[in-house]
């Protein structure tokens, strides 16, 4: 009986202690708002950004961001492989020929090697040129990226493609000479806007994903340009093509004028012969 009474007393104290703890928690959780503090209501609770309300796409992007924070290098390599694989498939389909797995392997090697340096470059660019003026910072980042990174990457891309294809040193230099200027001019039409938008609106962990989506189309263009150079076709910049388009009507017009003069001269000779 004494043991039973003692057990009841211990349990009673335990129950009273738990009840007291619960009351204290309830008191703190229902603490009235301080002066100037707004009570959350459906009208004043800020809504989530649009990209956080896309359901499965939002969850996939958040999973990518977590992987980017935990294993940045592994994530970058995997992302580059997916981009290069997709771009090479698109470029080969544009060519209208049978699928060449060796080209895909070369593209995967090129993308795997460049993934980590490209990621390091973007980190360095994010941490530098941060001035008090947002416009100045953004303009500097865009110009530095376009002048420094783009020519080096394009030279590496086309040179490495030619090297892995077994080209000679002279052919590698010729491939770079033919393709890099054209690709650099065309990159100025796309990547400055992409870089400015990325540094302005895209969080750091999502920038590689955003650039990767754009890079699928850009890598498709580079792969197609590389294949055109491999086939030995002449790659001309847009100004040269426009000049040819302008010259064509002029040449045609000159030809027609010459033909007209020859026709008139022939008729004159025939009339003279008839009179005689």
């Amino acid at each position: 009986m004494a043991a039973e009474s003692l057990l009841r007393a211990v349990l009673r104290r335990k129950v009273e202690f738990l009840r007291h703890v619960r009351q204290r928690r309830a008191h703190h959780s229902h603490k009235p708002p301080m002066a100037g503090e707004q009570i959350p209501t459906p009208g004043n609770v800020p809504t989530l950004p649009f990209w956080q309300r896309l359901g499965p796409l939002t969850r996939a992007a958040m999973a990518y961001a977590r992987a980017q924070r935990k294993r940045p290098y592994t994530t970058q390599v995997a992302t580059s492989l997916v981009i290069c694989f997709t771009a090479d498939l698109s470029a080969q389909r544009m060519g209208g020929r049978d699928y060449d797995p060796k080209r895909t392997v070369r593209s995967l090697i090129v993308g795997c090697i460049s993934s980590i340096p490209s990621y390091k470059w973007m980190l360095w660019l994010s941490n530098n040129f941060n001035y008090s003026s947002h416009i100045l910072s953004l303009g500097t980042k865009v110009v530095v990226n376009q002048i420094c990174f783009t020519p080096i990457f394009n030279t590496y891309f086309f040179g490495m493609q030619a090297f892995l294809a077994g080209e000679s040193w002279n052919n590698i230099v010729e491939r770079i000479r033919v393709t890099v200027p054209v690709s650099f001019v065309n990159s100025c039409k796309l990547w400055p806007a992409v870089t400015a938008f990325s540094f302005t609106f895209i969080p750091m962990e999502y920038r590689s994903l955003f650039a990767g989506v754009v890079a699928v189309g850009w890598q498709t263009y580079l792969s197609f340009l590389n294949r055109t150079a491999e086939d030995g076709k002449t790659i001309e910049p847009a100004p040269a093509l426009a000049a040819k388009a302008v010259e064509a009507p002029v040449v045609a017009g000159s030809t027609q004028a010459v033909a007209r003069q020859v026709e008139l001269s022939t008729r004159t000779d025939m009339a003279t012969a008839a009179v005689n």
Side-chain angles (χ1 to χ4, degrees), residues 6-247:
L6 180 61
L7 182 59
R8 288 180 179 178
V10 172
L11 291 177
R12 190 180 298 110
R13 291 184 179 180
K14 187 67 174 179
V15 170
E16 292 178 355
F17 174 76
L18 293 176
R19 186 180 302 166
H20 179 68
V21 171
R22 184 177 299 176
Q23 290 177 353
R24 290 184 58 184
R25 289 180 178 176
H27 174 72
H28 288 291
S29 62
H30 293 85
K31 182 175 62 174
M34 298 177 60
E37 185 178 356
Q38 194 175 20
I39 301 176
T41 61
N44 59 27
V45 175
T47 58
L48 293 174
F50 172 75
W51 63 272
Q52 291 185 354
R53 294 183 280 122
L54 298 178
L57 294 178
T58 299
R59 289 192 291 270
M62 294 178 66
Y64 181 87
R66 289 193 298 269
Q68 178 74 25
R69 289 190 294 266
K70 293 180 180 179
R71 300 178 181 87
Y73 295 156
T74 304
T75 304
Q76 288 301 314
V77 171
T79 304
S80 297
L81 292 179
V82 172
I83 292 171
C84 293
F85 179 77
T86 307
D88 185 74
L89 288 182
S90 301
Q92 293 202 42
R93 288 181 64 87
M94 289 172 59
R97 299 182 181 180
D98 295 334
Y99 174 70
D100 184 5
K102 294 181 180 179
R103 282 177 48 85
T104 303
V105 173
R106 292 199 296 267
S107 297
L108 293 177
I109 293 175
V110 171
C112 182
I113 295 175
S114 64
S115 58
I116 303 302
S118 300
Y119 173 68
K120 288 288 190 180
W121 167 259
M122 294 305 296
L123 285 180
W124 181 84
L125 199 61
S126 300
N127 296 326
N128 291 276
F129 308 109
N130 297 315
Y131 307 117
S132 57
S133 173
H134 176 71
I135 301 299
L136 179 60
S137 300
L138 191 61
T140 305
K141 292 175 188 290
V142 170
V143 171
V144 171
N145 183 71
Q146 196 65 28
I147 293 178
C148 299
F149 179 77
T150 301
I152 294 175
F153 177 81
N154 291 356
T155 301
Y156 159 76
F157 179 86
F158 293 112
M160 196 65 177
Q161 287 277 5
F163 173 78
L164 294 176
E167 299 286 346
S168 63
W169 174 252
N170 291 333
N171 290 340
I172 293 175
V173 174
E174 180 65 16
R175 177 82 60 83
I176 294 173
R177 186 190 67 80
V178 171
T179 55
V180 170
V182 179
S183 62
F184 177 79
V185 172
N186 291 329
S187 70
C188 294
K189 305 173 185 177
L190 172 67
W191 284 105
V194 174
T195 303
F197 185 88
S198 177
F199 280 107
T200 303
F201 300 105
I202 307 299
M204 181 62 199
E205 59 268 21
Y206 296 108
R207 285 176 186 170
S208 58
L209 180 62
F210 171 74
V213 174
V214 181
V216 171
W218 177 248
Q219 289 285 349
T220 301
Y221 165 73
L222 292 183
S223 298
F224 180 76
L225 195 64
N226 180 72
R227 184 161 189 168
T228 304
E230 285 181 351
D231 295 339
K233 298 179 181 179
T234 303
I235 301 175
E236 297 184 357
L241 296 177
K244 285 189 174 183
V246 173
E247 290 174 2

Side-chain angles (χ1 to χ4, degrees), residues 252-266:
S254 301
T255 304
Q256 293 177 359
V258 172
R260 183 66 176 173
Q261 291 178 358
V262 171
E263 183 181 356
L264 292 176
S265 177
T266 303

